[in-house]
Amino acid sequence: MATSSTTAFSIRSLTFAHERTVPVHPVLVPVVGSGLVRGQTVMCTGPASMSCATALLVAPTQHGSWAAVMGVPSFGVLAAADMGVALERIVFVDDPHRVGADAANVLGALVDGFDLVVTSADVMSSLSPSLARRFATRLQSRGAVCIVVDDTRAVSADLRLDTEVSAWSGIGDGHGRLCTRRVRVDVDGRRHRLSRRDGSLRHEVLLPGPGGQLEEIDAVNVPDGSVVRLRSVP
Amino acid sequence: MSPPRCAVVWCTDWPVTAAVLAGTAGRGPQFDPSAPLAVVHARRVQACSAAASRDGVRVGQTRRDAQGACPHLVLVPHDADRDARFFEPVVRAIGELVPLLDVETPGRLLMATRGPSRYVGGDERLAERLIDLAVGAIEQASGVAAIGVGIADGRVAAMLAARRSIATGRPIVVPSSSTAEFLAPHPVSVLVPTIGADSDIVDLLRRLGLETFGHVAQLTSAQLSDRFGRWGDGLYRVVTGLDDTPPAAVPPPDDLSVSRVFDDPIGQIDQVVFAAKVLADTIEESLSDRGLVCTRLVVDAESEHGERSSRGWVHADGLASAAIVDRVRWQLVGWIDGDDPPSAGITSLSIVPTDVRHDSAQQRGFWGERTQADDTAARAMTRLVGLLGPDAVTLASWRGGRHPHDQFELVPFASLGADDRRLIPRPIASSPWPGALPAPAPSVVHIEPRPIDVVDGDGRAVAVNGRGLVSAPPARVRIGRDERRVVAWAGPWPFEEKWWTSQRRRAARFQFVLGGERGPDAYIVWLENGRWSIVGEYR
């Protein structure tokens, strides 16, 4: 009985695995749910893969999580800043193979230190299968999220965000400028809660919207070319 | 509006006094109060006795420098619990006269004077009583203790009055009407011990020719804010006697107080402190969710026999979780090891934040106040630098420029902190950079531009003439072996930069939308020296 007061402190409230998440941008909530589950691998594919991966970084970095971008030298920093990513918590790391360092140690340090690790399909496919497996296991135990840009068979993604561009607006034949892009996101994945019931889930967003941010498509944001229906006023 | 009148009782270099008191109480090595003594913490002098400072020992000096200045200096290790424990009699003695008092740190007490002054008959009488009580409480260390009492409008003015009163040996009461005149001659260097200013900034003020509070007060709040940000605004408030507590103090929300009742009375301080950690985390979390920070709180502990210890703690910069836990421990150490210890174990502990303010001045920066995630990331980065080399781990710092790859530069993590290298955040309300293409920016920026061929409907290469006109509308683009149709295009937006140097550059920028299997793809394309290349992609 003498220890009951101390044991009371050591008991933590129970959390389920799906409650251990990192936040997502409100516009993506209908697509991926309330958060990215820690320990999972997310793959962003299709013609808007990089924008999609960047959009996933917005909410976590704003909430204090750190992200590492490994082996993606072409990462558009300005686009990320426009989208709302907190750049002071983004670290850019060279591909260990390019520097000639031990990839296993580098991956371990990344997973230990950062909540999100963004990397490219090229980097992941250059890992040996055993190393990729060890990476996935460590991801699980540390509760980090790995975001892979573009498709590769080297990793088995828990969640796939497949993008398709419907239209660009604002640009014409020799006039105007790029303004907004309608992107359709298909969600699929072996652990996705909606995948079992409905197959995959589709959602259309503006990525980027007029100011470079991720935005919902509504009556105000309908890109050029589509007709805005006028509502009758009672 | 002038700040409330308060009194400060300040025992400067308290850690030294506490060490001497510990020696006479038989709870540590004995020290001769007249010998040069210095308390060191983390290899730096934290406090030193009058004899030591006569020999040239200064607070903040490294241990080695201090020993160099004074070879027979007696070094005392730092012990926060000792400081708290031996300050308890002072708090207790003054608490007999002024029940509502706040402990800022061991060694410094703050109280509002409105009620007590009226009770004893004026500020001067109160100041005399305070110094008598404080000196009486620590008679054993009378050789070393330096106690000052100051009463003035606002915390900072009262602190400075207390500081000055140590030299004169008489308490100082600054009349309400002359706060500004009292503050004006103080050198800016006293900002370091009083409001905890950074000595680098104080140095900068002096280099700017602002030697005293009076000099700084001649500037406007706007000028100081321009140069020093929020800190400048706070500085203005301090030097003009408006006090450093921002006026936007808000009444705390009701549900902030946290408490814990122990079923089994706890006799060990460590266990209570452990419980306090949980409570402090709860407070910090609920406050930071609301964007608030706690500047004053009351810690209340009760023993099984109903004895209570209740004490207010203030800190103008705000109390984080770790700081709250420290306060709880100091209070308990003073209570349990003091003259009037509880006769039974502790059964309840409560922490009640009584003053909160908006957390706007406490933006957590890269090297500023840090979260656990920041620490973990910093450790990981250090490790990655070890594995990959110093230039392989970088962070983005704003530089500005006309092209997507110019606006941010990647600064090696290893170089941060050296030569004042810091990350520069993008200005929040910056006007667009002249000559830059408007948002959206490309999500992929090629470091090595990818060469392409652009042809018109007849298969001839498209060119741009000196007047910025295209020879013919582009129709098809060849990227490697692929040939793709131009769906839409815009431009050219010509630029010419650094024409005054050998790095002169001249190019025409275009945006192309090319037809693809999975929808249109957009690119930023440059035509430079007759060669087309892709510099950015919207992918």
Side-chain angles (χ1 to χ4, degrees):
Chain A
M1 276 312 286
T3 55
S4 70
S5 52
T6 41
T7 45
F9 304 134
S10 60
I11 297 170
R12 298 258 168 79
S13 57
L14 186 69
T15 47
F16 295 104
H18 68 261
E19 287 170 358
R20 296 172 58 230
T21 56
V22 293
V24 294
H25 194 290
V27 174
L28 289 177
V29 167
V31 188
V32 295
S34 57
L36 295 176
V37 179
R38 288 174 178 271
Q40 293 200 342
T41 303
V42 183
M43 192 182 276
C44 299
T45 59
S49 54
M50 188 69 95
S51 314
C52 182
T54 310
L56 290 175
L57 297 179
V58 174
T61 55
Q62 283 181 354
H63 283 85
S65 288
W66 282 72
V69 179
M70 179 185 63
V72 193
S74 59
F75 185 86
V77 183
L78 180 59
D82 284 344
M83 214 180 276
V85 174
L87 283 179
E88 66 270 21
R89 281 187 283 276
I90 302 271
V91 180
F92 300 90
V93 181
D94 277 3
D95 181 1
H97 288 109
R98 210 180 64 79
V99 189
D102 181 14
N105 280 336
V106 172
L107 289 173
L110 287 172
V111 171
D112 287 355
F114 301 94
D115 284 337
L116 297 118
V117 178
V118 181
T119 187
S120 68
D122 294 342
V123 174
M124 289 312 279
S125 51
S126 68
L127 302 178
S128 68
S130 71
L131 188 53
R133 262 199 311 279
R134 262 167 59 200
F135 177 58
T137 320
R138 191 137 181 191
L139 213 56
Q140 287 254 321
S141 67
R142 289 288 172 176
V145 174
C146 178
I147 298 172
V148 182
V149 184
D150 289 333
D151 203 356
T152 171
R153 305 263 294 277
V155 285
S156 63
D158 300 287
L159 187 68
R160 287 177 66 102
L161 300 178
D162 194 22
T163 56
E164 209 163 295
V165 176
S166 328
W168 268 101
S169 76
I171 190 166
D173 200 14
H175 57 86
R177 61 177 176 84
L178 292 173
C179 198
T180 62
R181 174 173 66 178
R182 274 176 96 113
V183 174
R184 201 166 56 233
V185 186
D186 289 359
V187 190
D188 199 356
R190 50 195 177 117
R191 302 238 174 91
H192 194 248
R193 66 193 161 82
L194 293 157
S195 61
R196 246 168 269 152
R197 256 182 288 138
D198 316 321
S200 69
L201 182 83
R202 309 195 130 192
H203 195 76
E204 207 162 39
V205 293
L206 285 187
L207 180 65
Q213 291 103 330
L214 169 65
E215 277 181 42
E216 211 132 15
I217 296 180
D218 55 30
V220 186
N221 283 334
V222 170
D224 300 354
S226 27
V227 182
V228 182
R229 259 194 234 127
L230 294 174
R231 266 181 246 144
S232 61
V233 181
Chain B
M1 195 190 78
S2 66
R5 206 157 170 73
C6 39
V8 165
V9 178
W10 193 355
C11 310
T12 48
D13 295 311
W14 176 255
V16 171
T17 314
V20 171
L21 286 169
T24 51
R27 302 189 66 147
Q30 298 242 354
F31 299 107
D32 175 10
S34 58
L37 293 172
V39 174
V40 284
H41 178 48
R43 297 210 321 275
R44 283 187 184 274
V45 176
Q46 195 195 22
C48 61
S49 68
S53 82
R54 268 196 301 278
D55 284 348
V57 179
R58 294 284 172 269
V59 172
Q61 237 173 0
T62 60
R63 191 180 62 191
R64 196 169 280 264
D65 286 348
Q67 283 174 316
C70 174
H72 51 289
L73 182 68
V74 180
L75 296 177
V76 186
H78 159 81
D79 179 356
D81 286 354
R82 179 183 63 207
D83 296 350
R85 183 181 304 139
F86 290 97
F87 195 57
E88 182 67 16
V90 180
V91 182
R92 207 167 264 267
I94 293 174
E96 297 281 314
L97 176 68
V98 189
L100 283 176
L101 51 83
D102 293 328
V103 187
E104 278 195 284
T105 53
R108 195 156 74 201
L109 283 172
L110 175 70
M111 66 209 84
T113 59
R114 211 173 71 117
S117 282
R118 207 177 289 166
Y119 176 68
V120 299
D123 285 344
E124 281 79 11
R125 296 276 295 276
L126 176 66
E128 297 285 346
R129 290 286 298 275
L130 289 175
I131 202 155
D132 288 347
L133 289 168
V135 170
I138 47 171
E139 274 171 322
Q140 302 94 323
S142 51
V144 67
I147 302 177
V149 173
I151 296 179
D153 281 9
R155 189 178 77 98
V156 175
M159 254 195 284
L160 291 171
R163 216 178 127 82
R164 177 167 286 186
S165 87
I166 294 169
T168 61
R170 303 288 310 156
I172 290 182
V173 176
V174 182
S176 256
S177 52
S178 60
T179 313
E181 292 91 274
F182 170 75
L183 288 173
H186 281 89
V188 288
S189 57
V190 300
L191 289 169
V192 180
T194 48
I195 64 164
D198 192 3
S199 54
D200 287 348
I201 295 186
V202 170
D203 212 39
L204 176 62
L205 288 175
R206 296 172 67 172
R207 278 183 280 134
L208 290 169
L210 304 168
E211 292 277 351
T212 65
F213 279 33
H215 293 156
V216 183
Q218 282 169 9
L219 302 173
T220 64
S221 167
Q223 285 170 323
L224 285 166
S225 298
D226 275 355
R227 183 67 179 78
F228 297 105
R230 279 199 75 86
W231 189 81
D233 188 44
L235 176 67
Y236 181 78
R237 299 184 62 81
V238 167
V239 297
T240 52
L242 292 169
D243 212 349
D244 59 340
T245 337
V250 285
D254 301 335
D255 58 337
L256 285 179
S257 65
V258 289
S259 61
R260 206 189 139 85
V261 176
F262 309 111
D263 294 340
D264 294 316
I266 298 180
Q268 289 226 323
I269 290 175
D270 289 349
Q271 288 186 18
V272 187
V273 171
F274 189 46
K277 174 90 180 80
V278 181
L279 298 181
D281 285 345
T282 320
I283 289 180
E284 191 184 347
E285 201 170 301
S286 63
L287 282 174
S288 67
D289 283 353
R290 296 178 171 88
L292 300 172
V293 63
C294 172
T295 52
R296 180 178 184 276
L297 52 81
V298 174
V299 178
D300 215 330
E302 192 173 341
S303 79
E304 200 181 6
H305 293 170
E307 295 129 322
R308 289 183 66 189
S309 161
S310 179
R311 186 135 302 157
W313 297 89
V314 287
H315 199 276
D317 291 342
L319 291 152
S321 161
I324 297 175
V325 176
D326 275 349
R327 271 37 178 203
V328 174
R329 197 178 60 243
W330 293 345
Q331 179 173 338
L332 292 173
V333 164
W335 188 33
I336 293 174
D337 286 0
D339 297 334
D340 189 14
S343 54
I346 289 165
T347 49
S348 83
L349 175 72
S350 72
I351 305 176
V352 186
T354 50
D355 279 337
V356 296
R357 66 171 163 80
H358 291 295
D359 198 8
S360 47
Q362 295 256 316
Q363 188 66 46
R364 290 176 180 213
F366 189 72
W367 301 117
E369 200 184 342
R370 309 166 63 94
T371 63
Q372 199 189 339
D374 292 347
D375 283 337
T376 323
R379 270 200 301 278
M381 284 186 268
T382 314
R383 189 157 160 231
L384 287 165
V385 169
L387 290 167
L388 293 164
D391 293 332
V393 182
T394 51
L395 290 123
S397 175
W398 189 78
R399 172 169 63 181
R402 135 174 348 105
H403 308 305
H405 55 266
D406 277 351
Q407 296 234 342
F408 285 90
E409 64 176 329
L410 293 181
V411 181
F413 170 72
S415 75
L416 287 174
D419 304 334
D420 273 344
R421 198 86 196 264
R422 286 185 300 128
L423 292 184
I424 302 163
R426 173 146 83 159
I428 294 162
S430 60
S431 38
W433 196 272
L437 295 189
S443 59
V444 168
V445 178
H446 292 298
I447 299 165
E448 296 284 315
R450 292 170 66 185
I452 53 167
D453 292 319
V454 179
V455 295
D456 63 11
D458 300 330
R460 284 183 307 239
V462 178
V464 174
N465 66 12
R467 294 178 170 228
L469 296 171
V470 284
S471 61
R476 287 191 310 279
V477 168
R478 265 197 300 276
I479 308 171
R481 279 185 212 152
D482 292 354
E483 186 166 289
R484 296 173 67 182
R485 196 168 52 84
V486 176
V487 180
W489 63 281
W493 294 285
F495 72 87
E496 182 167 5
E497 58 189 16
K498 294 186 180 162
W499 44 263
W500 60 92
T501 69
S502 57
Q503 296 162 10
R504 157 185 189 154
R505 260 191 122 167
R506 216 177 141 198
R509 293 168 290 181
F510 287 85
Q511 287 176 337
F512 281 7
V513 179
L514 307 181
E517 287 164 32
R518 307 193 57 188
D521 293 329
Y523 296 89
I524 288 192
V525 172
W526 284 12
L527 173 62
E528 191 176 6
N529 300 330
R531 282 192 292 274
W532 290 88
S533 54
I534 295 176
V535 297
E537 281 181 50
Y538 293 85
R539 201 169 76 199

